[in-house]
Amino acid sequence: MTSKLWPALGLLAAFAWNTPAFAAPADEPAATETPSSAESFLKALHPATGTVTVPGAQATLKLEPGYSFLSANDAQRVLSGLWNNPPDKDVLGMILPSTDMHVLLDDKAWAVVVTFVDEGYVSDADAAKINYDDMLKDMQASTKDENAERAKQGYPAIELVGWAEQPHYDSTSHKLYWARNLRFKKADGAGEAGSLNYDIRVLGRRGYLSLNAVAPVDQLAQVRADMPKVLEMTEFDAGQRYTDYNASTDKLAAYGIGALVAGGIAAKAGLFAKLGALLFALKKFVIIGIAAIGAAISKLFGRKKTQ
């Protein structure tokens, strides 16, 4: 597959890479999180363990011991109140690698944000034909092109370094995953920091579960070891699975596997504008601020104080 097959990646960049809400402008003073307010915030959360339903997606999580799940309300509070993302009512929950909520303050831990996209049944007919090397080159070029506008708005430049994990689709389980290595820095190169964005898509009858994992890029080995477990724990309910698709009655999505990896906006403008780029680096930056370490990055990337 050649790069000509990805003409809409410029549109992807316009909506995802240029979304300014994921970090505060460089000249905005950074607020700090006090230990007492952080503790109060964590104590107010209600983690669930064992078998957990995700009603908004008609899916079930069979959590292994040591994992927990925050429901939609708690997950949205963490994203906006603790990690300074813009509010997003589409978030259905968050998977954590611990039952201790202090994991949310651990800059070495990952978290998986769960959403559901009801755009219809995504055909996997193109899965075996995709050239991910060509796709990466186009994504890198689109990301670079948008940095001038980002700089004008006072936001750090983004460099898509490459695949941290090349896309892989399992045609038996109908699950797709990949990881991107991203680097954020000011125009003069100051305040550079890396982040790992690990994506999972679980295909279903009427859409797909989107699981976005965020972690420091140096934790790839741990994330790579844990994500297969997350994949195994996640499944649609009976009647809503990929194999339950009925071509005569069900909606067919207007895009395939390639568009999911490219970002989805190549298929429908705005589809991933809310979560696509917003979560790439926020977790590391905000947690660093809460822990009162990494002062240089904390100054560059502002965050608000938890109420």
Side-chain angles (χ1 to χ4, degrees):
M1 178 173 290
T2 66
S3 60
K4 294 181 180 180
L5 296 182
W6 304 101
L9 282 173
L11 183 61
L12 163 63
F15 279 88
W17 300 132
N18 196 38
T19 304
F22 81 96
D27 58 355
E28 180 178 317
T32 58
E33 179 71 50
T34 64
S36 59
S37 61
E39 286 295 327
S40 298
F41 188 97
L42 298 182
K43 289 179 180 179
L45 300 175
H46 305 87
T49 57
T51 300
V52 179
T53 60
V54 187
Q58 294 182 291
T60 299
L61 303 176
K62 295 183 178 180
L63 301 173
E64 293 187 2
Y67 290 81
S68 63
F69 179 76
L70 293 179
S71 63
N73 183 59
D74 278 352
Q76 292 168 23
R77 288 184 60 229
V78 168
L79 287 171
S80 61
L82 194 62
W83 294 351
N84 202 26
N85 280 271
D88 193 331
K89 294 187 179 301
D90 291 334
V91 172
L92 301 180
M94 183 181 293
I95 302 172
L96 300 172
S98 175
T99 58
D100 181 351
M101 292 302 92
H102 286 87
V103 70
L104 294 167
L105 307 182
D106 183 357
D107 66 317
K108 296 297 184 181
W110 55 260
V112 172
V113 177
V114 181
T115 58
F116 175 65
V117 179
D118 59 351
E119 291 294 311
Y121 174 90
V122 179
S123 172
D124 60 1
D126 67 334
K129 305 174 184 178
I130 301 171
N131 186 320
Y132 290 112
D133 291 334
D134 286 345
M135 181 190 290
L136 176 63
K137 292 176 183 177
D138 285 342
M139 292 170 69
Q140 289 173 321
S142 297
T143 306
K144 184 177 181 179
D145 290 343
E146 291 301 315
N147 279 331
E149 183 61 30
R150 291 184 61 81
K152 290 180 182 179
Q153 297 182 27
Y155 295 99
I158 301 174
E159 178 188 359
L160 174 54
V161 179
W163 299 123
E165 183 86 67
Q166 183 157 309
H168 175 78
Y169 176 67
D170 187 327
S171 60
T172 300
S173 66
H174 308 291
K175 297 178 180 180
L176 168 73
Y177 64 86
W178 71 96
R180 284 170 280 201
N181 182 356
L182 299 165
R183 184 176 294 129
F184 295 77
K185 59 183 177 181
K186 296 177 66 175
D188 59 4
E192 184 171 318
S195 181
L196 172 68
N197 175 231
Y198 202 108
D199 292 288
I200 295 174
R201 303 290 181 264
V202 181
L203 306 188
R205 177 181 180 178
R206 295 187 173 88
Y208 58 89
L209 280 170
S210 176
L211 290 80
N212 295 79
V214 282
V217 71
D218 60 2
Q219 295 301 301
L220 174 60
Q222 185 61 53
V223 174
R224 180 182 283 151
D226 289 344
M227 286 308 103
K229 299 177 184 177
V230 174
L231 278 168
E232 292 177 5
M233 293 187 291
T234 308
E235 189 58 85
F236 281 99
D237 298 336
Q240 301 301 318
R241 296 169 185 168
Y242 196 76
T243 52
D244 294 320
Y245 172 69
N246 186 332
S248 63
T249 61
D250 297 339
K251 178 182 178 180
L252 178 67
Y255 47 87
I257 298 297
L260 290 184
V261 178
I265 299 174
K268 179 180 178 182
L271 181 61
F272 290 113
K274 292 181 179 179
L275 276 176
L278 302 183
L279 298 176
F280 283 161
L282 262 180
K283 181 171 184 287
K284 181 176 181 181
F285 294 152
V286 176
I287 287 175
I288 286 176
I290 293 172
I293 57 178
I297 297 176
S298 178
K299 182 176 180 180
L300 174 60
F301 300 95
R303 76 278 303 152
K304 70 180 183 181
K305 183 176 180 180
T306 300
Q307 301 299 321

